[in-house]
Amino acid sequence: MLEGKDILNTAQFSLQELDLIINTAATFEKQVKDGAIIRNMKGQVIALLFFEPSTRTCLSFEAAANRLGARVITVVNPDSSSMAKGESLADTIRTIDGYADVIVMRHPMKGAAQIAADNAKYPFINAGDGTGQHPTQALLDLYTIRKEKGVLGGHTVTFVGDLKNGRTVHSLGYLMALYGNKMIFVSPKDLRMPEEITADLRSRGAEIEETDDLKKALSVSDIIYVTRIQKERFENPVEYEKLKGLYIINRALIDQAKKGITILHPLPRVDEISTDVDDYEGAAYFRQAHNGLYVRMALLALVTGRV
Ligand code: CP
């Protein structure tokens, strides 16, 4: 179903494909936890191109490749590739396509993933393109929601933080809509979810509320998805300083939230979740980061037909 396909954004997925990804990830999770030697991708080479900083995405893809028995080639510093000499993204991808069976790329420019996919013969995976999308993050968010809540639909999900620049919320919004969840968007006025995304989600039947009242949103939410204010996307540092710290999730706030609320965050966090929340049982953000390994194993195996 996904063999030979690119992973570019979350609007591309059917419910059947999402089921397949989640079930494949669950199988790999069990195998890894059982200590199985997995060699589905033995003999394959995966190119990891990270032209923006990353801890979780880069290392979990590398770990996933290692767990599957594949080998990895990397560019993690754009200055060390020939793009520093002026080579275009298209030419870079055309070249690397001859060295690897899958290309995984993070790039600071929205739309870079599509350019790369258009120039790659082999499957291409978007690991985050500027303020565009971060589909593999949303897939691991989905996997985490199933593990934490048991079901994927019927929840009220509050997204809080930098909804304008945060690519993870752009991606997860489409998946939450597909499963019939209600979404509440909480952000500073200048960092609201882009209108084209809310309009598109509503046209797909999503129920969306926009507010600046975090406390009220938390009182009715089953899940809160917290995001960092994306400092690197601000042209004016004064604007960033004005907006950071506007919404901080601390233990006192969570104690007044709907009972059993699950707290997700794609990480890294700066100060938007206080560390006094970390020992709350519904604080799932580090479990969420760990789930990335199994979901990325599933994606690599599925797009190469090595399941
Ligand atoms: N969530 C996420 O994309 O983290 P990294 O930037 O560390 O990859």
Side-chain angles (χ1 to χ4, degrees):
M1 203 185 295
L2 286 166
E3 186 174 349
K5 288 204 177 162
D6 300 317
I7 308 294
L8 287 175
N9 60 64
T10 49
Q12 75 180 69
F13 293 115
S14 66
L15 286 169
Q16 256 184 322
E17 288 171 331
L18 293 169
D19 265 359
L20 177 65
I21 293 166
I22 288 173
N23 292 336
T24 306
T27 302
F28 281 133
E29 177 170 3
K30 186 171 183 325
Q31 289 177 354
V32 169
K33 288 183 172 167
D34 287 349
I37 304 296
I38 308 162
R39 286 292 172 264
N40 296 42
M41 290 188 70
K42 190 168 172 7
Q44 299 240 305
V45 174
I46 295 162
L48 298 182
L49 315 179
F50 277 75
F51 300 123
E52 260 194 345
S54 169
T55 297
R56 278 145 289 272
T57 313
C58 186
L59 290 179
S60 62
F61 263 117
E62 186 165 354
N66 288 338
R67 293 275 185 186
L68 289 162
R71 306 295 288 263
V72 171
I73 55 174
T74 54
V75 177
V76 290
N77 174 6
D79 292 339
S80 72
S81 84
S82 284
M83 288 176 83
K85 301 179 213 163
E87 185 171 44
S88 69
L89 176 60
D91 284 359
T92 301
I93 295 294
R94 268 188 222 133
T95 304
I96 295 167
D97 205 34
Y99 306 150
D101 301 285
V102 188
I103 298 176
V104 178
M105 184 185 80
R106 171 169 291 186
H107 196 283
M109 188 181 79
K110 181 180 175 184
Q114 185 66 60
I115 295 170
D118 289 345
N119 285 282
K121 193 160 39 79
Y122 290 107
F124 171 84
I125 300 179
N126 177 10
D129 62 331
T131 59
Q133 283 238 358
H134 192 351
T136 69
Q137 175 68 45
L139 292 167
L140 76 89
D141 298 338
L142 196 68
Y143 186 66
T144 303
I145 289 170
R146 194 176 79 168
K147 283 175 70 179
E148 298 287 326
K149 301 303 245 189
V151 290
L152 288 166
H155 303 301
T156 296
V157 185
T158 286
F159 293 82
V160 61
D162 186 349
L163 308 187
K164 177 184 172 195
N165 298 306
R167 56 194 170 206
T168 63
V169 287
H170 302 167
S171 291
L172 187 58
Y174 283 89
L175 298 185
M176 291 296 89
L178 193 59
Y179 285 96
N181 296 288
K182 178 182 173 180
M183 289 177 272
I184 305 178
F185 296 157
V186 182
S187 66
K189 189 165 60 60
D190 291 340
L191 299 178
R192 287 173 65 176
M193 185 70 90
E195 173 55 29
E196 79 252 25
I197 295 181
T198 45
D200 194 18
L201 292 174
R202 282 193 171 113
S203 77
R204 293 162 187 257
E207 185 185 351
I208 293 170
E209 187 185 319
E210 292 186 87
T211 177
D212 56 8
D213 190 343
L214 176 60
K215 213 165 164 180
K216 190 163 162 228
L218 288 183
S219 72
V220 296
S221 292
D222 305 295
I223 298 167
I224 177 169
Y225 193 93
V226 188
T227 63
R228 173 177 68 87
I229 305 294
Q230 309 263 303
K231 185 179 184 181
E232 65 276 26
R233 312 286 178 214
F234 282 74
E235 280 172 21
N236 181 354
V238 178
E239 281 304 304
Y240 170 74
E241 290 300 327
K242 253 187 0 206
L243 296 174
K244 86 174 168 72
L246 220 53
Y247 294 108
I248 304 271
I249 309 298
N250 58 30
R251 189 58 188 251
L253 196 62
I254 291 303
D255 286 342
Q256 295 171 58
K258 185 173 175 184
K259 199 167 158 22
I261 192 168
T262 296
I263 308 170
L264 301 178
H265 189 313
L267 304 178
R269 73 172 150 187
V270 182
D271 55 6
E272 59 282 353
I273 300 181
S274 306
T275 52
D276 67 358
V277 177
D278 292 356
D279 61 0
Y280 165 68
E281 65 173 6
Y285 27 93
F286 287 105
R287 296 194 288 275
Q288 181 185 357
H290 295 160
N291 287 333
L293 171 66
Y294 314 118
V295 171
R296 289 175 173 129
M297 286 175 78
L299 290 170
L300 290 172
L302 285 165
V303 298
T304 54
R306 296 293 191 106
V307 182

